[in-house]
Amino acid sequence: FFQTYYPEFDIGLWTFSASVFGGSFGVFAGGFFSDRLVQVLGLPSRLWLLSACTLLAAPLAVGTLYFPPPGAFGCLIVYYFFAETWFAVLFTVIVEIVDPEVRSTCIAIFLFLMNLVGGNLPVIVAPLRSYFNDYRSALYLVSSPSPPSSSCCPPCHSGSGRRR
């Protein structure tokens, strides 16, 4: 995406920063804050945290595609922070609510489906791009605000910027 709309912009340091500072700290923060919340508000608070982070991440995903760099990458770093909280929270919830006899199977099925469906989601970007005759529109449709699905096709792989 950046190569299409902003070929002169070097994205290396920015994508590194999004992954390390946004994504890694987001995964840690999701687990850390959900552990603190569950002590005070109980198990459902983990899912409330996940919902709040998803709602905060959604407009940032749009901003990543809308704004020109480096503003797009500012959105991307903060987006990754909120969007990647799902990882620690979701697996903790699965471990807490699924019976021990089927826990590993449940996690395996979840990972299989996430990778099978979400991992192949980028395949539909090219046909959507051809249909809309616009890369950005295709990415708006594919980059869902749902963290598990958006992490399979993140705006980082797509970029941002206003139409030229």
Side-chain angles (χ1 to χ4, degrees):
F1 181 84
F2 279 115
Q3 292 172 346
T4 301
Y5 290 102
Y6 300 102
E8 70 284 349
F9 190 78
D10 183 18
I11 64 170
L13 179 62
W14 291 99
T15 54
F16 170 79
S17 297
S19 296
V20 171
F21 299 112
S24 299
F25 290 133
V27 171
F28 174 78
F32 180 82
F33 289 118
S34 73
D35 284 345
R36 300 309 172 269
L37 282 173
V38 81
Q39 292 172 358
V40 177
L41 302 172
L43 182 60
S45 65
R46 289 193 198 275
L47 298 177
W48 284 110
L49 175 66
L50 182 59
S51 299
C53 288
T54 300
L55 289 173
L56 290 169
L60 293 163
V62 172
T64 301
L65 294 172
Y66 180 77
F67 294 113
F73 285 103
C75 286
L76 183 64
I77 291 169
V78 180
Y79 163 79
Y80 261 31
F81 180 82
F82 288 115
E84 293 302 318
T85 58
W86 76 270
F87 200 83
V89 175
L90 178 77
F91 285 105
T92 303
V93 169
I94 290 173
V95 166
E96 288 178 339
I97 66 172
V98 175
D99 291 331
E101 297 82 29
V102 293
R103 189 173 292 151
S104 296
T105 304
C106 183
I107 291 172
I109 290 169
F110 170 77
L111 287 171
F112 172 76
L113 292 173
M114 181 185 75
N115 289 317
L116 180 67
V117 175
N120 288 311
L121 195 59
V123 173
I124 67 169
V125 172
L128 287 173
R129 180 182 183 187
S130 296
Y131 178 78
F132 290 110
N133 199 25
D134 182 43
Y135 205 179
R136 184 176 290 107
S137 297
L139 292 170
Y140 278 137
L141 289 173
V142 175
S143 295
S144 163
S146 170
S149 63
S150 64
S151 67
C152 299
C153 186
C156 156
H157 298 158
S158 56
S160 78
R162 288 187 184 94
R163 213 172 269 162
R164 288 187 168 177

